Amino acid sequence: MGGYSALVRALSDMTPQGIINEILSSGLRGRGGAGFLTGQKWRLVARANNTPKYIVANLDEGDPGVYANRSLAEADPHAIIEGLLIAAYAIGAEKGYIYIRKEYPLAIQTLQKAIAQAKAMTLLGNDILETHFNFNLELRFGAGAFVAGEETAILSSIEGRRAMPRPRPPYPANSGLWQKPTLIQNVETLANIPLIIQNSAVWFAKIGTPKCTGTKCFSLTGKVKNPGLIEIPMGITLREIVFDIGGGVPAGKEFKAALIGGPSGGCLPEQLLEIPIDYDYLTKVGAIMGSGGIVVLDTDSCMVDTARYFTEFCVDESCGRCTPCRAGLPRLLEIFQKITHGKGEPNDLIILEKSCFFIRDASLCGLGQTAPNPILTTLRYFKDEYMHHIKNKKCKADVCFKTPTKDEPK
Amino acid sequence: MNTHPMKLKIDGVDVECSEGSTILTAAKTVGINIPTLCYLEGLTPYGGCRLCLVEVSGTNKLFPACATPVASGMEVTTQSPKLHEYRKMVLQTLLAERTHICSVCIANDHCELQTQTNQYGVDHVFYERNWSCNEIDSTHDFLVIDRNRCILCTRCVRACDEIEGVHTLDLKFHGKNTDVIMDQDELWSKACSCTSCRKCAKVCPVGAIYVEGENIEYTKDPQVIAFIVERRKCLK
Ligand SMILES: Cc1cc2nc3c(=O)[nH]c(=O)nc-3n(C[C@H](O)[C@H](O)[C@H](O)COP(=O)(O)O)c2cc1C
Ligand code: SF4
Ligand code: SF4
Ligand code: FES
């Protein structure tokens, strides 16, 4: 299949409205986390009556241990650029940015080279393929903060301000970069676009499940025999990923839980391994698709310590704007310090859970809203471990009660 | 902004307001008061403190009234057991975050955090309290900042940037380490962009920025921002 042939097809045979309809009927949903219907987002931006319009490709990829977007950029940068061009044409944007973290030097180099190549072929710039369609593309660099991958934080960062999320509404589709309509899309989402245009929405919708079409990339890490980057059709079960693809837990140990959705994902126990990989199912059991991180834990891991660890990550990555996340999350960490140092009381679990609901419901952006997920899911599926720590002052996995931390309670 | 009027319901009361109003300003027109801390009339809404969260029918999400534009047909609830509980938790986490000891604070009796705390009957903080003890910067001729009392509402930052136009104040770091700084994190006396206009002290809702030796009741004047904004409109 020739490079940019989908773009040629889009520019010569399709109207912007036709492209949006095709993406809509493919059922493609955003691969950056929230799973919003891509076509619907395009339609919102296309309909916004304000110009100029912008498009931003999200290549911030802040989840620790996840590198699917980086690999995509390093291996197939033109798929991202082609997706951007088709999207830009469909929504009426003439200017785009790829927001990429500075820690990805090879991906940056590859993208810069690809942009130069595309320019040389008049696939970027003015009068692209002699169709009067203009589109210019630039890279913008992030300094590596996790929260800088949140869509409104990216906008602030590109505008030259602190990468802090801002309240929505107004949504970027109406008021994004410099208050202009802006489409923000994950690069994996964009890389799917040329395939849909080339092979049709019907072809795409055949892969996966009716409500979750296509494939998704995951970084499979932790206690599995074959860790690495995988691409799977939506709808296969977690068991298939961990045991068939990952090869299961290395000999001598037993599977305990899978953390799916990155640092603010959910810890799912053995009995939930049969659930299909699907945005809605995952949300139902307390996890999220996130940007595609799966960490497998075996019986050497303590679930209380796991929840503490990811809470600490979110405390460190909070931007500091809103009270629940900035002032609330560290309080949860303090409670964990108590529990994992033999000072926990049964009442702590009640405070923990109440505070989690507060932080989930009252935070400004997705970071605070999802940060309690590891705690809520471990409380839900592994409550006995918490009780064991509090009542018997013992850790079955023999992890807690010995790691001295900087904030050890007096 | 004289586009077609928006019709919505707030706590069951019919409200009509212009497009571009926020839930907070719309509620005010019918005498419904929503508690706020980081909001200040005349400054860009920040949506940070989360005290003004309200419920909107049709979604489980909560929205900050100060920063959420009204939409036609919206049905807003400003009081509920859940909102009450969460507002108490906002206040509790703020109190636990840094050093808030009212009896030895210059803003005692003139503090918006204290007022809200009383209003919501917060008589206990069920978290460990963090008694931060960072050094106070009193190097400026008369302005003092005690960051241990700061609730990071950024009213001072926005007033300095949007109204005074000098952007001396800003934030450094992130998360729990966030702090208000002067210029490139200088002592206040070395921050040469500061015009000593005192707006920061006038708008600070707590006792974090104040004028040395001056009665706080006299210093505090948060409404001055809305007044200035209104006057500047006349100039146009
Ligand atoms: C804390 C936080 C971090 C995020 N990081 C990323 C990221 O690294 N990459 C990404 O594509 N989306 C990230 N998102 C999701 C974006 O806000 C946004 O939903 C996404 O880029 C939209 O693209 P999509 O519709 O193609 O998924 C993050 C969200 C939050 C709340
Ligand atoms: S939830 Fe956390 S990261 Fe998001 S705006 Fe609030 S403080 Fe910042
Ligand atoms: S110094 Fe006062 S006005 Fe400034 S952020 Fe802190 S509490 Fe708000
Ligand atoms: S007053 Fe609305 S969030 Fe602070």
Side-chain angles (χ1 to χ4, degrees):
Chain A
M1 196 165 32
Y4 291 95
S5 49
L7 177 69
V8 174
R9 174 140 195 254
L11 290 184
S12 52
D13 302 344
M14 296 171 87
T15 61
Q17 188 55 49
I19 297 173
I20 294 176
N21 287 341
E22 191 74 4
I23 300 302
L24 259 177
S25 57
S26 77
L28 175 66
R29 295 170 72 166
R31 302 295 194 239
F36 196 78
L37 264 177
T38 304
Q40 204 164 327
K41 204 145 98 175
W42 291 20
R43 192 153 69 183
L44 288 174
V45 184
R47 280 189 186 159
N49 46 8
N50 197 347
T51 48
K53 293 177 184 178
Y54 296 100
I55 178 165
V56 176
N58 189 347
L59 216 167
D60 192 63
E61 201 168 40
D63 289 20
V66 177
Y67 50 94
N69 291 173
R70 188 192 73 196
S71 302
L72 173 66
E74 287 171 359
D76 199 357
H78 286 292
I80 299 172
I81 298 173
E82 190 176 5
L84 267 168
L85 278 160
I86 296 171
Y89 174 67
I91 62 164
E94 298 205 335
K95 175 97 210 175
Y97 299 93
I98 300 179
Y99 190 80
I100 181 167
R101 55 174 48 228
K102 264 277 185 207
E103 285 104 325
Y104 281 177
L106 183 59
I108 291 174
Q109 238 179 42
T110 321
L111 278 167
Q112 276 165 341
K113 210 160 140 193
I115 290 175
Q117 285 168 344
K119 271 189 190 150
M121 307 281 288
T122 71
L123 291 161
L124 277 175
N126 290 341
D127 199 18
I128 292 167
L129 299 170
E130 296 170 8
T131 56
H132 304 299
F133 168 52
N134 307 327
F135 185 68
N136 286 294
L137 183 59
E138 281 178 42
L139 296 187
R140 283 290 181 275
F141 305 110
F146 176 57
V147 72
E150 198 277 343
E151 54 183 27
T152 57
I154 291 190
L155 301 181
S156 294
S157 178
I158 294 179
E159 288 171 1
R161 289 180 287 117
R162 222 176 123 86
M164 270 202 309
R166 56 163 183 72
R168 291 170 306 179
Y171 292 96
N174 287 309
S175 174
L177 274 179
W178 299 287
Q179 278 97 51
K180 301 295 183 187
T182 304
L183 176 73
I184 303 156
Q185 210 85 70
N186 171 269
V187 288
E188 189 185 334
T189 317
L190 288 169
N192 275 303
I193 304 297
L195 296 174
I196 296 171
I197 297 300
Q198 192 67 34
N199 301 303
S200 85
V202 177
W203 167 84
F204 187 82
K206 272 194 206 134
I207 313 165
T209 67
K211 283 180 108 181
C212 270
T213 52
T215 63
K216 172 90 188 88
C217 294
F218 282 99
S219 298
L220 183 62
T221 55
K223 304 290 177 57
V224 277
K225 279 191 198 127
N226 321 313
L229 200 59
I230 58 170
E231 182 174 359
I232 51 123
M234 293 280 192
I236 73 168
T237 66
L238 203 46
R239 180 177 297 281
E240 286 173 270
I241 293 181
V242 175
F243 287 93
D244 299 350
I245 303 172
V249 177
K253 293 279 161 32
E254 262 173 68
F255 174 88
K256 185 164 187 182
L259 180 99
I260 169 157
S264 50
C267 287
L268 304 181
E270 170 107 48
Q271 65 267 28
L272 285 177
L273 278 180
E274 307 309 330
I275 64 151
I277 296 296
D278 170 305
Y279 293 94
D280 309 304
Y281 270 100
L282 286 174
T283 314
K284 220 176 280 169
V285 293
I288 52 171
M289 187 80 80
S291 55
I294 300 181
V295 185
V296 178
L297 304 171
D298 66 12
T299 36
D300 278 348
S301 300
C302 164
M303 298 318 288
V304 180
D305 183 63
T306 305
R308 180 203 60 76
Y309 177 81
F310 287 109
T311 307
E312 192 168 20
F313 177 87
C314 291
V315 166
D316 288 343
E317 294 299 328
S318 162
C319 82
R321 183 170 192 149
C322 73
T323 311
C325 174
R326 183 197 73 236
L329 278 179
R331 309 288 84 77
L332 303 187
L333 200 53
E334 284 159 12
I335 298 173
F336 273 106
Q337 302 293 10
K338 269 178 79 182
I339 298 176
T340 55
H341 285 86
K343 304 210 164 63
E345 306 153 55
N347 196 31
D348 285 337
L349 295 190
I350 298 169
I351 298 180
L352 202 57
E353 192 172 35
K354 264 181 143 180
S355 312
C356 280
F357 291 147
F358 162 64
I359 295 167
R360 182 190 67 190
D361 296 345
S363 289
L364 188 156
C365 87
L367 195 153
Q369 288 159 6
T370 57
N373 282 340
I375 305 178
L376 286 171
T377 46
T378 47
L379 276 173
R380 192 154 141 196
Y381 305 121
F382 300 95
K383 188 148 193 176
D384 53 319
E385 285 198 32
Y386 282 88
M387 291 317 291
H388 200 57
H389 281 70
I390 291 172
K391 282 218 177 109
N392 311 329
K393 314 283 178 219
K394 282 208 174 81
C395 174
K396 271 190 206 136
D398 201 20
V399 175
C400 304
F401 304 116
K402 50 185 176 191
T403 42
T405 55
K406 47 185 192 301
D407 306 315
E408 189 162 352
K410 289 119 228 161
Chain B
M1 231 168 270
N2 47 4
T3 40
H4 54 288
M6 295 275 190
K7 287 182 186 167
L8 63 152
K9 259 191 173 37
I10 304 181
D11 291 343
V13 181
D14 286 312
V15 186
E16 209 168 289
C17 59
S18 59
E19 198 180 345
S21 311
T22 61
I23 296 177
L24 184 73
T25 50
K28 253 188 205 143
T29 62
V30 291
I32 295 172
N33 275 319
I34 300 169
T36 58
L37 268 178
C38 66
Y39 171 78
L40 188 61
E41 197 183 338
L43 299 177
T44 308
Y46 188 57
C49 76
R50 316 304 278 174
L51 201 64
C52 70
L53 287 182
V54 295
E55 292 167 8
V56 173
S57 70
T59 159
N60 286 331
K61 280 197 177 159
L62 305 177
F63 295 89
C66 68
T68 308
V70 292
S72 253
M74 215 179 206
E75 284 180 35
V76 179
T77 307
T78 73
Q79 305 281 347
S80 76
K82 180 159 125 185
L83 291 175
H84 192 86
E85 162 99 8
Y86 286 176
R87 286 176 188 152
K88 276 176 105 163
M89 292 182 86
V90 164
L91 297 166
Q92 294 206 18
T93 46
L94 284 176
L95 288 174
E97 187 182 24
R98 292 188 179 185
T99 311
H100 297 281
I101 310 176
C102 300
S103 56
V104 293
C105 179
I106 182 161
N108 193 14
D109 279 346
H110 302 284
C111 168
E112 293 180 40
L113 177 62
Q114 191 183 40
T115 310
Q116 297 294 355
T117 306
N118 291 338
Q119 188 100 31
Y120 279 87
V122 176
D123 48 15
H124 186 77
V125 175
F126 56 63
Y127 301 108
E128 260 179 67
R129 299 191 65 172
N130 288 268
W131 307 111
S132 63
C133 47
N134 299 309
E135 221 163 297
I136 296 168
D137 181 354
S138 57
T139 59
H140 183 277
D141 283 348
F142 52 86
L143 290 165
V144 185
I145 181 163
D146 179 352
R147 295 180 174 88
N148 304 299
R149 296 173 183 154
C150 174
I151 57 169
L152 295 168
C153 69
T154 72
R155 277 191 192 179
C156 57
V157 175
R158 285 173 286 152
C160 184
D161 174 35
E162 296 171 15
I163 308 300
E164 182 61 7
V166 291
H167 205 131
T168 303
L169 304 180
D170 207 335
L171 301 178
K172 72 166 175 183
F173 299 151
H174 61 268
K176 62 183 180 1
N177 301 319
T178 312
D179 259 325
V180 172
I181 53 166
M182 288 83 199
D183 282 357
Q184 305 291 318
D185 199 8
E186 321 278 359
L187 287 174
W188 212 330
S189 57
K190 298 267 162 58
C192 49
S193 69
C194 172
T195 57
S196 303
C197 76
R198 300 171 177 233
K199 285 189 187 70
C200 50
K202 288 174 201 263
V203 302
C204 181
V206 291
I209 299 186
Y210 55 93
V211 175
E212 202 164 0
E214 190 173 275
N215 188 336
I216 195 92
E217 213 181 329
Y218 178 79
T219 310
K220 291 234 181 286
D221 185 15
Q223 293 83 2
V224 72
I225 302 296
F227 175 77
I228 296 173
V229 171
E230 209 46 45
R231 295 285 292 178
R232 285 183 187 168
K233 271 188 203 154
C234 304
L235 284 177
K236 274 181 194 162

